[in-house]
Amino acid sequence: MSGRLIDLLLRLAPRERWLLGILFAIVLPLGLLFGVLLPLKDAKASALADRTEAVAINLWVQERVGQYQSLLSSPQTGPQPAMGTSGIEQSLIDAGLRGDISDLSQDSTGEITLRFDDVRFTRMMTWLSETEPGWGYDVTQFRIEAVPEPANVSASLTLDPQDQ
């Protein structure tokens, strides 16, 4: 086999042998590099990025499962008795938000309307999340709008009693 190859090469002109040498020494390795190795490298980088994203999604899902389990283990209660405007006002005083409220009213059906014209968003939401589980109202309307002051909002809430 190698004898035939040598005979074939000896029959070629020196210039043709140089061209075949260049082909095997330079062009073939470059073709291998650009045709096989670089696409493999790109595929590996893409696979690593996909794996990283999958791990991040898995961690996020595990955190949500933990939150869901904690929600399931919390006591499930039925409708709470409504605390009324005085209870809501006391909770606003305790949270330091009484000065920020511009309207606190109750109509004949027991529906309560709260309005904040300019309140710190984080303070209002902290008050709402701490008060809401036991106050005996369902939030039926909730509207938040930005105000010129950074981190402050204008908000209005409408609450309906749960026990009706």
Side-chain angles (χ1 to χ4, degrees):
M1 175 80 178
S2 62
R4 282 191 211 173
L5 182 60
I6 292 172
D7 287 340
L8 179 67
L9 289 175
L10 288 176
R11 280 189 245 151
L12 297 175
R15 183 181 54 147
E16 292 172 336
R17 280 184 275 197
W18 274 105
L19 288 174
L20 278 176
I22 290 173
L23 174 71
F24 282 106
I26 296 174
V27 175
L28 192 61
L30 286 178
L32 180 67
L33 176 71
F34 289 114
V36 177
L37 297 179
L38 289 180
L40 285 176
K41 180 184 171 237
D42 293 342
K44 179 182 176 185
S46 175
L48 285 174
D50 291 346
R51 181 185 179 278
T52 302
E53 183 181 355
V55 167
I57 289 173
N58 187 20
L59 289 173
W60 182 84
V61 167
Q62 288 176 358
E63 289 173 2
R64 299 298 80 76
V65 167
Q67 287 178 346
Y68 179 72
Q69 293 298 332
S70 68
L71 287 175
L72 287 179
S73 65
S74 66
Q76 299 292 325
T77 59
Q80 302 283 332
M83 67 169 48
T85 55
S86 61
I88 291 175
E89 186 170 14
Q90 185 59 47
S91 70
L92 287 166
I93 292 169
D94 294 342
L97 291 172
R98 182 59 182 109
D100 295 325
I101 195 158
S102 57
D103 181 33
L104 174 60
S105 60
Q106 182 174 6
D107 66 8
S108 61
T109 63
E111 181 179 277
I112 294 181
T113 303
L114 291 120
R115 191 175 79 238
F116 298 90
D117 287 334
D118 190 8
V119 65
R120 174 86 56 198
F121 176 77
T122 53
R123 289 180 62 205
M124 183 195 62
M125 292 310 292
T126 302
W127 165 77
L128 188 61
S129 64
E130 289 173 356
T131 307
E132 189 271 330
W135 67 358
Y137 290 97
D138 291 323
V139 178
T140 55
Q141 292 181 7
F142 188 38
R143 182 180 181 139
I144 297 178
E145 295 177 0
V147 296
E149 178 73 26
N152 285 11
V153 294
S154 169
S156 63
L157 288 92
T158 303
L159 311 173
D160 280 335
Q162 290 177 350
D163 56 358
Q164 286 187 350

